[in-house]
Amino acid sequence: MSGTEPNGQGEGAELTYTPEDLVDWVESLVAVLESVDRSQNQYWCSQWWNHPEAVDRFRGLYEQWLEAQANGGMSSWWIDHFDRHATVLFAKRGPFEECGTTHVRTTARRILATEQPPHNWSW
């Protein structure tokens, strides 16, 4: 991973982190913040890094967390970023839905079909 800019925030400000930084952050975040209860239809996988959607969501959360740490706004980070992603990440139909106490390789990846619009298409 190279430097990235947070989603539309602070153009020109380069945030640099390594895969190890992300792993450490996710592990400390999950260990401190989340209690996932399968009886409440909440799911987690210890191999979160093996789920592309989860990695993308955690990367986005981490980038916004770095921005909030640097510029203030942690309250907004919780409400506008973490709470919204957590409802998807840990949901029954989220990226960890087939995992229980161990990682389960997804047998069929859900990929939505797309088609190119007609040549003269416009909005």
Side-chain angles (χ1 to χ4, degrees), residues 1-66:
M1 280 182 255
S2 63
T4 60
E5 290 188 32
N7 304 323
Q9 302 286 321
E11 274 79 9
E14 188 172 299
L15 300 175
T16 304
Y17 60 90
T18 66
E20 293 81 13
D21 293 335
L22 180 65
V23 169
D24 290 345
W25 183 80
V26 170
E27 288 179 355
S28 65
L29 177 83
V30 170
V32 173
L33 301 177
E34 281 302 319
S35 176
V36 176
D37 183 352
R38 289 200 64 152
S39 70
Q40 298 296 313
N41 290 322
Q42 296 174 326
Y43 294 74
W44 173 248
C45 181
S46 60
Q47 291 184 24
W48 60 269
W49 40 265
N50 218 351
H51 297 269
E53 178 184 355
V55 171
D56 287 345
R57 286 180 178 276
F58 281 128
R59 283 185 67 188
L61 281 168
Y62 186 48
E63 291 166 6
Q64 291 300 315
W65 182 84
L66 290 170

